[in-house]
Amino acid sequence: EPEVTQTPSHQVTQMGQEVILRCVPISNHLYFYWYRQILGQKVEFLVSFYNNEISEKSEIFDDQFSVERPDGSNFTLKIRSTKLEDSAMYFCATLAGNDYEQYFGPGTRLTVT
Amino acid sequence: GIQVEQSPPDLILQEGANSTLRCNFSDSVNNLQWFHQNPWGQLINLFYIPSGTKQNGRLSATTVATERYSLLYISSSQTTDSGVYFCAVEVTGTASKLTFGTGTRLQVTL
């Protein structure tokens, strides 16, 4: 069973539009991560979020991106004005168990046209 | 930043064959995980193995942290083992980001 679910599973949007990707934890988690994977490439870190604050972000995570936990349960990634190069699979992850093992959600495939 | 390299990049096996996938990393790590990305794109946890050896069914993994490498062994491969295998490392602190390797694409044929 996954520790997190993600919605939508696939989103198609036009360039310049805003998108919000959602991550829903199964149980109460404090740590969240967003990663992305451009088709055929490796998985890249975007941002980590702990106790309702950004704890670490990559150079990819520029001003077009934002994260929040609006209602204490869902965890969202917003892209303000999508570009063609934002097309990728976006994964949410969290920690589970007694160690620091990260578990990934099923992903949202974002296609920007 | 840390470099994580995996070999081989591509591997084709006949069902029933054994294989060894390698992950080399350029710096000390606190955490190392192996994942299987299935044909639907999902990342499935295989091992959390910052050091030592673990086994789970037909799969086993060994990490030699002092020599900066990890190995994933697949025995008696099945077609369902096909997909991409990634190792990922955490360099500093705890609960920080994972840096992924470039992956090994495995195809198991009948």
Side-chain angles (χ1 to χ4, degrees):
Chain A
E1 287 296 323
E3 294 295 326
V4 293
T5 60
Q6 293 185 241
T7 59
S9 56
H10 188 193
Q11 178 148 4
V12 181
T13 190
Q14 286 192 327
M15 195 168 51
Q17 296 297 305
E18 175 184 283
V19 295
I20 297 177
L21 311 181
R22 289 183 171 78
C23 175
V24 182
I26 301 300
S27 56
N28 193 26
H29 296 294
L30 294 178
Y31 291 93
F32 291 94
Y33 309 82
W34 283 103
Y35 295 81
R36 79 172 186 190
Q37 183 183 30
I38 295 171
L39 186 64
Q41 298 186 20
K42 65 179 181 180
V43 179
E44 301 174 291
F45 169 76
L46 291 176
V47 64
S48 58
F49 194 80
Y50 170 67
N51 207 22
N52 296 322
E53 290 185 355
I54 289 176
S55 53
E56 191 175 7
K57 60 183 181 180
S58 72
E59 61 275 9
I60 302 170
F61 193 85
D62 61 21
D63 292 344
Q64 293 288 356
F65 292 89
S66 63
V67 289
E68 64 177 3
R69 202 172 183 189
D71 56 8
S73 59
N74 293 347
F75 177 53
T76 62
L77 174 70
K78 181 191 292 185
I79 309 175
R80 289 189 179 82
S81 178
T82 51
K83 298 174 276 194
L84 294 176
E85 54 264 39
D86 293 327
S87 295
M89 180 78 97
Y90 288 81
F91 292 102
C92 171
T94 190
L95 298 181
N98 297 323
D99 50 36
Y100 293 97
E101 185 171 2
Q102 291 188 27
Y103 286 83
F104 285 68
T108 293
R109 183 169 298 282
L110 176 66
T111 302
V112 182
T113 62
Chain B
I2 192 170
Q3 302 299 313
V4 184
E5 296 181 357
Q6 292 184 242
S7 59
D10 296 280
L11 187 58
I12 300 175
L13 297 175
Q14 276 200 323
E15 196 171 44
N18 302 328
S19 62
T20 300
L21 281 56
R22 186 176 181 103
C23 172
N24 290 335
F25 40 96
S26 61
D27 204 347
S28 300
V29 299
N30 288 334
N31 171 19
L32 188 144
Q33 293 183 233
W34 281 97
F35 296 90
H36 174 215
Q37 187 166 40
N38 63 23
W40 295 271
Q42 295 177 326
L43 288 167
I44 308 300
N45 287 51
L46 297 178
F47 294 101
Y48 171 82
I49 187 165
S51 63
T53 297
K54 290 185 178 179
Q55 180 154 8
N56 184 5
R58 295 182 296 104
L59 274 60
S60 64
T62 295
T63 297
V64 184
T66 53
E67 297 187 20
R68 299 180 183 170
Y69 74 88
S70 183
L71 301 174
L72 177 69
Y73 305 95
I74 304 174
S75 64
S76 304
S77 57
Q78 301 174 359
T79 55
T80 51
D81 295 331
S82 296
V84 184
Y85 289 81
F86 289 103
C87 68
V89 301
E90 177 189 354
V91 177
T92 59
T94 55
S96 66
K97 67 180 182 183
L98 290 176
T99 299
F100 279 72
T102 49
T104 292
R105 183 174 300 276
L106 173 65
Q107 182 180 353
V108 181
T109 62
L110 291 172

